[in-house]
């Protein structure tokens, strides 16, 4: 490895970082005296351009990075998909900023978002525990800052502190788990670790279980799986809208792509398509842990969401529930008996997390607009939205029905695809029971999604409530996402194929 | 000239819904425009349905359209029609037109009302024409959401509770169906969701044994299967007139159709004997027949005790849908034909009854309490309503000359060969049916109890043309089918025979 290789392999990440610095410098140098609106506009435009440039670079110059003998950063189909999704979702998050008034430092928040996105890129492509940890910390630290960005709001500060404390704790757990894994296998590279498990049978060791649980605590925190979810409702409620949208989308995409990557590593170590015994033993423990997290998240997330009166907290619990569904897919990938079945499961998880991220960004966009107009994110703030802004109400209708999994919207597709993949593993009654649980729980979820829609469509606005107006850019993004939710739902084949072969043109 | 294919019913309905949703909301002429547009949309759908129905009498299963939709999962956008589907599409078209005629007086958020209404209709058309299990499920769920909003926004008594209850019952039912469908897809391993292909994929009998009751109950919830019927009375009562008509008229048929096409079509061996008997029940078939008979008798008894006119009709629907389930479980041509005909017949008659109670009577008296109506001498005040209800009531009781008679008679004949005990209990249900209909009729229209207050003695608004047209159309259909049942039977008999020969034993 030399510096040139490093530069080559991390070029997209570097472009994002440079874009972040350009945003800062541009604002400082040229826009210091300008009106708040134009400063925000300048920062957002530069940020979006940065995402575009990084995506362009990513598609034209990318190379794997090796250290002596093992891969540090390596792009495969799944990580290319996830990185593209990160570019797109980050740009959409930035486009939710116009019209918001939570901060007087527009350049700083845009730069932080870009830093977070570059952390996400590293997480997705990492093939080494240390690179992974650096990426995760870059992502997490930026998220804490974004959560605290509404300086005049006590809730924002409280949420950030909680998020930070939980995050720090989980990072510590994860490092602890990494240290055990290193101790058991003598390597930090994913591929070497798997190989070592196969050759030495050290996955039978009880220490491996300790390591697994510690790593699960760290990753479970990132995806907000029960019982590591306690930060989520507070962070979702307190964070400024774009920050919450970012946490719910880009951070989720990165974390699930990482889980998918771990499953990939396991599969690439397959010998002649046959699973070595050690692999199965290791996998059964891993799968047991994942399935436990999945079931607990589905049940707790959906049931707790029923009792919420704040729409942001409701979305937080729904995010926990959705994480539960996706973990089922991850478990299916780990259970798969051959590489093809595993790829299929991983692709359904990616489809799910990307479309979920898309939907949830727009959901937060709608909440942000309503919140800015009414000063509240409680259910009754949405009263009469169909009169106060019919377009926004229609967007909300589409998004929430999609989250509930009503066809022909994309949320249904994602669920169907995922559950079919889980059942396709065909191994006994456990996957089936969990799919049945997941479907039953998504029936429960319709109740709380409909409750929000009831306020938007059924309840009349309070006396004297005027129109709600959204910034045209925000409205455009929201409508575009709603259209995409319907479109991909009706014709999912395009996205499904693209995820399977990201080299294809998307449309 | 060739008539447009029946698939256009779906597109016309959804297109109409989209236009309604996009109509400008502020101008004064919008309500009228919106009503006429909705009526035209529904009439167009009805014409397409009728043309499709009458040009294909007696022909078999036609593939209307077939496109690969999601190739990776073997899912096709496959629309097919056999005699049963064509009849149900025709029924939906009739109910849609009648429902719009009886919603002429909706004044609140008119275009949204018709947008949801037409979206619901489009979903229903889609279910009846789907030849792919996945597509059927998609349309089935599309039909759930508009029902919620129709009841929650435009409903009456405890509307939000009733709407949520209906939505959750439907969604739980569809969740059960989804589990069954996914399991069938995974088990067959044939990489297809086509109903015909799945039916021929020889699913293991052990699998069918548990998938059948799961899917049957899942659809049965929407068909008003006792004891999962409780959404029906509250939903019917809370819904605005047109929505009650659709709920009873076509949405409950969605459930019954799913039971027939999916549960019985894909998992016929689920109805095989278990090999042991528990309380005299030896198979899922016995279990569901028993539930159907309980539904018939229970629905009728509860209807007899109601004080709210609309609840009487609501429970009568549960009772009448029991005949459909019982007919399905007979598994012989005559019983199944009766069941399918009963779907049609009940769809028309229940729509008529709800229209009279919810629109013609309620919008003039502003009460549905039978005790209050007793003092109003409605037979003299609104003779039109009284006579229409007499005729509709006779049809509902199953008097010869109306469609209900033909259908229920066939179900009873079919059930005799299946189990005489069922037949006798069902007969009891019919007798109670006569009793509750007479009771409601007598109390609401022909009571000689003195009037209680002066204010309700005033005159009521005259009957308007949409009411005449709607009542006339539905009455004509039930009488026509009653007098000449071959009109419908010629279409459904071949389809039922094909179904019995192909899948369900």
């Amino acid at each position: 490895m030399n510096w040139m290789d490093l530069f080559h392999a991390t070029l997209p990440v570097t472009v994002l970082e440079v874009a972040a610095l350009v945003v800062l410098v541009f604002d400082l140098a040229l826009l210091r005296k300008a009106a708040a609106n134009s400063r925000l506009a300048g920062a957002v435009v530069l940020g979006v351009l940065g995402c575009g440039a990084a995506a362009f670079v990513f598609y034209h110059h990318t190379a794997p990075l090796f250290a002596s003998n093992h891969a540090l950063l390596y792009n495969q189909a799944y990580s290319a998909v996830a990185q593209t999704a990160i570019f797109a979702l980050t740009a959409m998050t930035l486009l939710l900023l116009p019209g918001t008034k939570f901060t007087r430092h527009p350049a700083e928040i845009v730069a932080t978002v870009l830093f977070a996105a570059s952390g996400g890129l590293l997480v997705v492509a990492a093939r080494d525990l240390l690179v992974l940890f650096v990426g995760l910390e870059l992502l997490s630290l930026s998220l804490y800052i974004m959560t605290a960005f509404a300086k005049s709001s006590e809730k924002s500060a409280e949420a950030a502190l909680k998020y930070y404390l939980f995050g720090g704790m989980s990072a510590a757990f994860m490092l602890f788990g990494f240290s055990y894994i290193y101790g058991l296998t003598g390597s930090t590279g994913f591929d070497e670790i798997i190989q070592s498990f196969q050759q030495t049978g050290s996955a039978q060791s009880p220490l491996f279980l300790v390591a697994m649980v510690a790593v699960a605590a760290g990753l479970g925190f990132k995806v907000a799986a029960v019982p590591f979810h306690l930060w989520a409702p507070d962070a979702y409620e307190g964070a400024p809208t774009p920050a919450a949208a970012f946490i719910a989308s880009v951070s989720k995409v990165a974390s699930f792509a990482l889980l998918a990557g771990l499953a990939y590593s396991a599969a690439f170590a397959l010998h002649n398509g046959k699973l070595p015994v050690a692999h199965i033993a290791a996998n059964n423990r891993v799968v047991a842990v994942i399935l436990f997290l999945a079931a607990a998240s589905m049940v707790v997330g959906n049931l707790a969401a029923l009792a919420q009166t704040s729409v942001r907290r409701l979305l937080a619990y729904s995010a926990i529930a959705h994480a539960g569904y996706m973990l089922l897919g991850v478990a299916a990938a780990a259970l798969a008996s051959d590489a093809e079945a595993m790829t299929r499961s991983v692709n359904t998880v990616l489809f799910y997390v990307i479309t979920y991220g898309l939907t949830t960004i727009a959901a937060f966009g709608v909440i942000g607009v309503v919140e800015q107009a009414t000063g509240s994110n409680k259910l009754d703030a949405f009263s009469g939205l169909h009169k106060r802004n019919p377009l926004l109400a229609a967007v909300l209708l589409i998004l929430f029905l999609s989250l509930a999994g009503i066809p022909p919207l994309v949320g249904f597709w994602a669920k169907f695809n995922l559950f079919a993949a889980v059942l396709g593993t065909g191994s006994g009654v456990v996957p089936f029971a969990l799919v049945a649980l997941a479907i039953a729980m998504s029936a429960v979820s319709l109740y709380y999604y409909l409750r929000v829609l009831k306020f938007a469509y059924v309840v009349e606005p309070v006396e004297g409530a005027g129109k709600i107006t959204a910034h045209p850019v925000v409205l455009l993004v929201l409508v575009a996402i709603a259209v995409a939710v319907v479109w991909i739902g009706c014709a999912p084949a395009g996205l499904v194929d693209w995820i399977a072969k990201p080299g294809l043109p998307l449309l | 000239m060739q008539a447009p294919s029946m698939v256009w019913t779906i597109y016309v309905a959804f297109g109409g819904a989209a236009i309604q949703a996009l109509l400008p909301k502020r101008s004064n002429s919008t309500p009228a425009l919106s009503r006429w547009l909705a009526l035209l949309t529904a009439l167009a759908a009805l014409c397409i349905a009728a043309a499709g129905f009458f040009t294909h009498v007696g022909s078999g299963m036609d593939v209307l359209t077939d496109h690969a939709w999601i190739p990776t999962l073997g899912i096709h956008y496959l629309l097919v029609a056999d005699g049963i589907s064509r009849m149900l599409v025709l029924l939906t078209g009739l109910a849609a037109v009648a429902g719009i005629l009886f919603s002429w007086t909706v004044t609140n958020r008119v275009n949204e009302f018709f947008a949801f209404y037409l979206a619901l209709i489009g979903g229903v058309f889609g279910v009846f024409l789907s030849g792919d299990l996945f597509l059927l499920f998609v349309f089935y769920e599309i039909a759930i959401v508009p029902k919620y909003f129709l009841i929650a926004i435009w409903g009456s008594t405890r509307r939000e509770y009733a709407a949520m209850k209906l939505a959750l019952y439907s969604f739980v039912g569809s969740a059960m169906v989804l589990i069954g469908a996914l399991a069938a897809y995974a088990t067959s391993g044939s990489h297809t969701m086509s109903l015909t292909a799945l039916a021929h994929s020889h699913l293991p009998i052990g699998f069918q044994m548990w998938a059948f009751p799961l899917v049957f109950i899942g659809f049965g919830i929407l068909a008003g299967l006792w004891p999962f019927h409780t959404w029906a009375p509250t939903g019917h009562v809370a819904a605005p007139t047109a929505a009650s008509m659709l709920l009873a008229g076509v949405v409950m048929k969605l459930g019954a159709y799913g039971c027939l096409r999916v549960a019985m079509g894909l998992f016929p061996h689920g109805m095989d004997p278990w090999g042991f008997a528990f309380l005299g029940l030896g198979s899922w078939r016995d279990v569901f027949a028993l539930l159907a008979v309980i539904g018939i008798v229970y629905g009728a008894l509860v209807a007899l005790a109601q004080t709210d006119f609309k609840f009487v009709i609501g429970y009568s629907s549960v009772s009448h849908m029991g005949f459909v389930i019982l007919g399905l479980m007979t598994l012989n041509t005559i019983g199944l034909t009766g069941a399918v005909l009963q779907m049609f017949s009940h769809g028309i008659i229940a729509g008529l009854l709800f229209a009279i109670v919810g629109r013609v009577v309620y919008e003039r008296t502003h009460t549905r309490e039978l005790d209050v109506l007793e003092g109003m001498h409605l037979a003299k005040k609104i003779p039109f309503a009284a006579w229409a209800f007499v005729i509709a009531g006779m049809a509902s009781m199953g008097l010869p000359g109306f469609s209900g008679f033909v259908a229920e008679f066939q179900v009873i004949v079919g059930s005799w060969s299946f189990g005489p005990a069922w037949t006798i209990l069902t007969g009891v249900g019919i007798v109670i049916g006569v009793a509750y209909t007479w009771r409601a009729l007598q109390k609401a229209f022909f009571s000689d109890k003195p009037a209680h207050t002066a204010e309700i003695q005033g005159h009521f608004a005259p009957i308007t043309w949409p009411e005449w047209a709607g009542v006339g159309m539905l009455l004509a259909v039930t009488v026509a089918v009653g007098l000449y049942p071959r009109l419908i039977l010629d279409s459904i008999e071949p389809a039922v025979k094909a179904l019995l020969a192909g899948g369900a034993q």
Side-chain angles (χ1 to χ4, degrees):
Chain A
M1 182 175 73
N2 58 35
W3 290 109
M4 211 51 218
D5 290 343
L6 183 62
F7 179 72
H8 245 292
T10 57
L11 199 52
V13 182
T14 314
V15 170
L16 271 191
E17 301 279 346
V18 169
L21 296 177
V22 168
V23 170
L24 287 175
V25 170
F26 189 75
D27 185 67
L28 203 59
L30 299 177
L31 293 172
R32 200 79 258 185
K33 298 268 159 50
N37 277 346
S38 31
R39 285 177 64 194
L40 187 58
V44 169
V45 167
L46 283 176
V48 172
L49 286 178
C51 288
F56 178 82
V57 169
F58 172 70
Y59 268 91
H60 290 86
H61 308 273
T62 163
L65 179 63
F66 290 91
S68 60
N69 54 357
H70 78 261
L72 294 179
L73 285 171
Y74 195 84
N75 267 318
Q76 283 153 347
Y78 77 91
S79 49
V81 168
Q83 299 196 27
T84 314
I86 288 175
F87 295 130
L89 296 176
T90 304
M92 283 177 209
T93 310
L94 290 178
L95 289 172
L96 292 185
L97 276 168
T100 54
K101 298 197 165 51
F102 64 88
T103 178
R104 285 181 293 124
H105 303 282
E108 282 83 348
I109 183 123
V110 171
T112 319
V113 168
L114 294 178
F115 286 138
S118 56
L121 295 181
L122 285 178
V123 169
V124 168
R127 309 296 304 161
D128 182 281
L129 291 176
L130 289 178
V131 177
L132 169 63
F133 190 74
V134 169
L136 274 176
E137 283 307 288
L138 180 53
L139 175 61
S140 299
L141 287 172
S142 312
L143 291 180
Y144 307 145
I145 299 171
M146 282 157 66
T147 309
F149 229 94
K151 282 195 211 154
S152 53
S153 150
E154 266 179 42
K155 279 203 158 165
S156 173
E158 182 195 332
L161 190 62
K162 278 186 182 165
Y163 192 15
Y164 171 67
L165 290 177
F166 270 103
M169 185 75 93
S170 83
F173 264 107
M174 189 154 53
L175 266 186
F176 179 69
F178 285 175
S179 71
Y180 270 42
I181 292 177
Y182 180 72
L184 284 168
T185 62
S187 170
T188 55
F190 289 178
D191 302 328
E192 285 73 18
I193 291 171
I194 302 275
Q195 272 167 19
S196 157
F197 277 139
Q198 285 171 357
Q199 285 154 10
T200 62
S202 53
Q204 312 283 10
S205 147
L207 286 180
F208 175 69
L209 195 60
V210 175
M212 267 324 299
V213 171
V215 173
L219 295 180
F221 162 81
K222 285 302 315 166
V223 301
V226 175
F228 312 110
H229 65 288
L230 294 164
W231 60 273
D234 290 314
Y236 278 45
E237 194 186 15
T241 314
F246 194 89
I247 295 171
S249 60
V250 180
S251 164
K252 275 273 157 70
V253 170
S255 316
F256 274 99
L258 165 63
L259 289 173
L262 295 178
Y264 253 92
S265 301
F268 273 93
L270 295 182
H271 289 303
N272 309 325
K274 288 227 176 84
L275 287 168
V277 181
H279 170 85
I280 294 171
N283 255 17
N284 280 347
R285 288 182 168 182
V286 176
V287 169
V289 172
I290 301 176
L291 287 181
F292 169 76
L293 295 180
S297 306
M298 289 188 292
V299 173
V300 173
N302 278 313
L303 295 185
L306 294 176
Q308 302 307 317
T309 53
S310 150
V311 179
R312 278 167 173 254
R313 292 185 81 87
L314 186 149
L315 270 187
Y317 283 106
S318 110
I320 294 166
H322 282 281
Y325 306 139
M326 288 184 262
L327 283 173
L328 269 191
V330 174
L335 269 176
S337 51
D338 56 70
E340 192 202 348
M342 199 226 34
T343 310
R344 211 163 45 230
S345 302
V346 165
N347 287 348
T348 63
V349 174
L350 285 175
F351 185 91
Y352 198 115
V353 74
I354 290 171
T355 53
Y356 171 77
L358 194 67
T359 320
T360 197
I361 281 186
F364 271 107
V366 176
I367 292 173
V369 172
V370 171
E371 206 173 19
Q372 191 148 329
T374 62
S376 153
N377 59 50
K378 299 280 181 223
L379 281 169
D380 49 16
F382 287 77
S383 299
L385 189 61
H386 71 96
K387 283 225 174 91
R388 304 182 71 185
N389 191 334
L391 191 58
L392 211 56
V395 170
L396 188 75
L397 178 77
I398 291 173
L399 297 174
F400 271 48
L401 290 180
S402 173
L403 288 175
I406 302 277
L409 305 171
V410 74
F412 169 72
W413 241 107
K415 280 202 180 99
F416 182 87
N417 220 350
L418 186 77
F419 296 157
V422 176
L423 285 183
T425 58
S427 41
V429 78
V430 174
F432 179 78
L434 283 167
V435 168
L437 177 70
I439 294 178
M441 280 296 143
S442 68
V444 171
S445 75
L446 182 69
Y447 175 78
Y448 55 82
Y449 292 122
L450 268 186
R451 224 158 53 113
V452 181
L453 295 178
K454 185 187 93 179
F455 277 93
Y457 268 90
V458 178
V459 179
E460 293 296 320
V462 283
E463 282 298 314
K467 291 264 162 211
I468 291 179
T469 50
H471 191 280
V473 173
V474 176
L475 199 60
L476 189 70
V477 173
L478 296 181
V479 170
I481 293 180
V483 169
V485 164
V486 177
W487 176 257
I488 305 175
C490 289
L495 187 57
V496 169
D497 291 344
W498 178 74
I499 287 177
K501 281 201 192 69
L504 294 176
L506 183 51
L507 289 174
Chain B
M1 191 191 89
Q2 202 184 346
S5 153
M6 274 184 137
V7 296
W8 282 97
T9 53
I10 304 173
Y11 309 144
V12 164
F14 282 132
I19 293 172
Q20 296 281 352
L22 296 175
L23 277 182
K25 296 194 172 58
R26 272 167 217 87
S27 100
N28 286 330
S29 59
T30 306
L33 176 68
S34 163
R35 269 177 217 130
W36 280 103
L37 267 177
L39 185 61
L40 283 178
T41 314
L43 276 174
L46 175 61
C47 290
I48 299 168
F53 181 81
F54 289 110
T55 51
H56 289 81
V57 174
S59 69
M61 175 92 74
D62 291 332
V63 174
L64 302 175
T65 187
D66 185 2
H67 298 291
W69 187 15
I70 297 112
T72 46
L73 290 177
I75 292 169
H76 281 238
Y77 182 79
L78 172 64
L79 294 170
V80 301
D82 67 352
I84 299 172
S85 318
R86 282 190 280 266
M87 179 212 74
L88 287 168
V89 169
L90 178 66
L91 168 68
T92 310
L94 286 167
V97 173
I100 289 172
L101 288 172
F102 288 109
S103 341
W104 219 250
T105 47
V106 171
T107 50
N108 180 27
R109 299 163 73 179
V110 180
N111 52 348
E112 287 175 70
F113 178 83
F114 286 117
F116 283 123
Y117 183 94
L118 290 171
L120 170 58
I121 295 286
V124 174
F125 279 133
V127 171
F128 290 144
L129 291 174
S130 295
D132 186 285
L133 182 53
F134 180 82
L135 184 63
L136 187 145
F137 187 81
V138 167
F139 281 124
Y140 189 76
E141 293 236 324
I142 289 178
I144 292 178
V145 176
K147 282 187 296 192
Y148 173 81
F149 287 108
L150 282 173
I151 297 177
I153 300 178
W154 292 276
S156 51
T157 327
R158 293 213 292 165
R159 58 199 167 117
E160 288 176 13
Y161 163 77
M164 189 60 95
K165 186 169 174 183
L166 168 58
L168 290 184
Y169 268 67
S170 312
F171 208 59
V172 168
S174 70
M176 293 166 75
V177 172
L178 181 60
I179 296 172
L182 275 168
Y185 177 74
T187 309
S188 81
S190 55
H191 204 66
T192 173
M193 284 288 241
S194 149
L195 283 170
T196 338
L198 278 180
H200 290 109
S201 65
H202 302 292
L203 294 162
I205 292 184
F207 168 76
Q208 295 196 18
M209 273 292 171
W210 66 259
F212 172 73
L214 184 75
V215 175
F216 196 91
I217 293 175
F219 280 117
I221 288 176
L222 215 52
L225 176 69
W226 188 89
F228 309 106
H229 66 284
T230 62
W231 65 268
T234 50
H236 285 138
V237 169
T241 305
S244 323
M245 293 172 69
L246 282 192
L247 277 184
V250 295
V251 170
M252 290 178 95
K253 274 69 199 173
L254 286 184
Y257 178 79
C259 287
L260 172 66
R261 186 73 79 192
V262 181
M264 296 170 65
L266 297 191
F267 316 120
H269 291 293
M271 292 175 284
D272 290 352
W274 297 327
F276 61 91
F278 178 72
L279 298 174
L281 301 169
S283 65
W284 285 115
R285 192 179 161 202
D286 291 346
V287 172
F288 291 125
L290 177 67
L291 293 183
V293 173
I294 293 178
I296 295 174
V297 177
Y298 170 88
L301 280 174
V302 178
L304 196 55
Q306 293 306 310
T307 57
D308 183 316
F309 203 174
K310 225 171 166 184
F311 264 115
V312 176
I313 317 292
Y315 278 104
S316 87
S317 278
V318 175
S319 180
H320 285 295
M321 286 306 289
F323 281 96
V324 176
I325 308 279
L326 180 64
L328 294 180
M329 287 296 107
T330 62
L331 289 185
N332 51 41
T333 313
I334 187 154
L336 266 176
T337 312
V340 176
L341 185 58
Q342 173 75 347
M343 290 189 209
F344 185 85
S345 161
H346 175 252
I348 299 290
I349 295 171
L352 191 53
L353 292 173
F354 274 118
I356 297 170
V357 174
R359 167 76 180 89
V360 184
V361 172
Y362 179 76
E363 292 201 2
R364 293 185 171 79
T365 63
H366 301 290
T367 179
R368 293 190 307 250
E369 286 300 315
L370 285 169
D371 290 336
V372 183
L373 291 172
E374 256 189 307
M376 290 191 176
H377 305 291
L378 290 181
K380 294 198 192 81
K381 297 273 184 51
I382 329 177
F384 172 79
W387 291 111
F389 194 85
V390 167
I391 303 173
M394 291 199 299
S396 173
M397 284 176 218
L399 253 58
F402 297 99
S403 55
F405 169 74
V406 189
E408 294 183 5
F409 182 74
Q410 286 188 320
V411 170
I412 286 181
V413 172
S415 73
W416 184 266
S417 66
F418 172 47
W422 304 134
T423 316
I424 293 164
L425 278 170
T426 311
V428 174
I430 294 187
V431 174
I432 309 173
V434 174
Y436 69 71
T437 315
W438 271 120
R439 173 176 166 272
L441 186 61
Q442 200 271 336
K443 277 201 158 193
F445 296 105
F446 296 101
S447 168
D448 46 10
K449 200 169 139 187
H452 2 242
T453 53
E455 62 186 297
I456 52 174
Q457 299 224 344
H459 281 283
F460 294 128
I463 302 296
T464 57
W465 70 264
E467 289 169 279
W468 273 107
V471 169
M473 180 180 81
L474 294 178
L475 273 181
V477 172
T478 176
V479 171
V481 174
L483 293 179
Y484 187 63
R486 297 240 69 84
L487 206 60
I488 301 290
L489 288 179
D490 279 345
S491 272
I492 57 183
E493 261 174 11
V496 165
K497 281 183 183 147
L499 207 73
L500 280 172
Q505 293 196 339

